[in-house]
Amino acid sequence: MGALALPLQVASAGLTILGKINAGQAAAAQAEAQAAYQRREAGIRRATAQRAAEEAHRRSELQESRYRAVSAASGGGGDGSARSALQELAGLGRYNALAQLARGEVAAQGDEFYAGLTRFRGRASRRAANLGALQEGVSFAGQHGGAIENYLRRT
């Protein structure tokens, strides 16, 4: 058993080191996948906001058109109060469309921020695992350096 003890300890330490490295790589890969998902979500939020803004603009134009039709049917529409009301409707429509875009952009920027944070955490996990593997190797060498040297001299 004595002749096999050291090679088995070396193999065990090697497997522990590889396990730590693999765990760090897996954490980094998982973080990259999560970050990619978050970036896709940001794009979807922007596209959804764009569609909502277009819909708000379309509804605004429809309201303006109805107002013009009702105003013209009632014999008005040319006076200053009708023009003022139309300008107010148009301004409100633009505001609603821009508000939709702004809400989508803020949400998308939040997703992108978290994507960057997720990638950072993944890289930090990989670095920590690599440092843990290095520490394991150094610790093993420190504990068993003399035994390894004696083993190598005998073989």
Side-chain angles (χ1 to χ4, degrees):
M1 175 74 177
L4 287 178
L6 186 60
L8 289 175
Q9 288 174 335
V10 170
S12 175
L15 290 174
T16 300
I17 291 168
L18 287 175
K20 288 183 179 194
I21 291 170
N22 285 338
Q25 290 172 340
Q30 191 277 333
E32 276 299 322
Q34 180 67 28
Y37 171 79
Q38 289 166 328
R39 286 190 302 272
R40 278 192 307 275
E41 283 295 308
I44 289 169
R45 287 183 193 271
R46 283 189 178 101
T48 300
Q50 179 67 36
R51 284 190 297 277
E54 290 168 359
E55 180 60 23
H57 181 70
R58 188 193 65 77
R59 282 193 311 268
S60 172
E61 286 181 338
L62 187 60
Q63 283 180 322
E64 289 175 47
S65 175
R66 285 183 191 147
Y67 184 83
R68 280 191 199 97
V70 168
S71 187
S74 66
D79 62 355
S81 66
R83 280 193 301 273
S84 176
L86 273 171
Q87 288 173 344
E88 190 173 322
L89 276 174
L92 187 59
R94 281 192 299 275
Y95 171 80
N96 287 337
L98 290 173
Q100 290 290 340
L101 287 173
R103 279 191 289 273
E105 183 59 28
V106 166
Q109 286 177 1
D111 287 340
E112 287 173 345
F113 171 79
Y114 285 112
L117 187 60
T118 300
R119 290 185 73 214
F120 176 79
R121 282 192 305 231
R123 289 191 304 266
S125 293
R126 183 178 55 232
R127 284 187 197 112
N130 289 343
L131 287 174
L134 178 63
Q135 183 269 335
E136 182 76 27
V138 169
S139 174
F140 181 82
Q143 290 173 358
H144 302 288
I148 293 171
E149 187 177 335
N150 290 336
Y151 180 81
L152 292 175
R153 282 186 187 152
R154 287 191 310 233
T155 59

